[in-house]
Amino acid sequence: MLHARLARDTVGGLFFAAIGLAFVLGSNYLPMGEAARMASGYFPRLLGYCLIFIGLVISIRGTFSEKKSHEIIYRFALKKVLLIGTALLAFAFLLEPAGLWIALSVLVFISSFASEQRSIREALILTVVVDLLVTAVFVGAIGLEINLLPAWE
């Protein structure tokens, strides 16, 4: 017999679905286009629908799954939220004046300490790898025109 319950996955899935709904509602005024010629609203709306679907699947599975011993539904880690929020703000403010490499390095290095098991050496390696991958994909493959280093004018 199935018993519905409020599990951690239920709450997390509903959170994903709410974020997806925000993306769908927020992109309503943007033109959609079509798959062959996407307009500015295509990707946010598609992402929103995918998040809603994934969130509902996770939520339904969590609702009808077996109870885990000592499951905590809500746990708020203020340190992690502050580290990631600070890293995102630093990236946003540094991207234009400092360039992609410096802004991305600050983002990855600061946010990598949201994990308790990360050492400085691992954070530096992760920073270099992410910098190289992002540069290869966005600058090399896609051809995004962005300053990699600060513009010295």
Side-chain angles (χ1 to χ4, degrees):
M1 183 172 184
L2 294 175
H3 295 288
R5 66 188 188 86
L6 182 64
R8 182 175 22 182
D9 288 344
T10 305
V11 175
L14 292 175
F15 184 69
F16 274 121
I19 292 173
L21 183 63
F23 269 83
V24 170
L25 294 176
S27 65
N28 264 347
Y29 69 93
L30 297 171
M32 182 74 165
E34 51 194 45
R37 189 158 169 81
M38 296 180 213
S40 57
Y42 192 90
F43 183 73
R45 204 168 301 163
L46 180 66
L47 179 67
Y49 288 133
C50 289
L51 279 173
I52 290 171
F53 176 74
I54 291 170
L56 290 177
V57 168
I58 291 171
S59 183
I60 290 169
R61 288 187 64 191
T63 301
F64 296 108
S65 65
E66 296 285 326
K67 181 172 178 6
K68 298 176 184 102
S69 61
H70 306 299
E71 181 178 22
I72 299 170
I73 295 177
Y74 299 104
R75 183 183 310 165
F76 190 76
L78 184 62
K79 176 187 170 191
K80 293 178 182 183
V81 171
L82 289 175
L83 278 172
I84 293 173
T86 302
L88 287 170
L89 286 173
F91 178 80
F93 286 115
L94 287 174
L95 182 59
E96 196 171 323
L100 180 66
W101 284 343
I102 293 173
L104 190 61
S105 296
V106 169
L107 169 75
V108 175
F109 188 76
I110 292 174
S111 62
S112 67
F113 289 106
S115 169
E116 286 87 15
Q117 294 105 10
R118 184 87 54 219
S119 69
I120 291 178
R121 180 176 178 267
E122 290 172 330
L124 289 172
I125 291 170
L126 181 65
T127 300
V128 170
V129 169
V130 169
D131 281 350
L132 293 174
L133 285 173
V134 167
T135 302
V137 170
F138 289 103
V139 177
I142 296 176
L144 183 68
E145 294 182 17
I146 189 166
N147 291 334
L148 297 178
L149 294 171
W152 306 103
E153 294 180 24

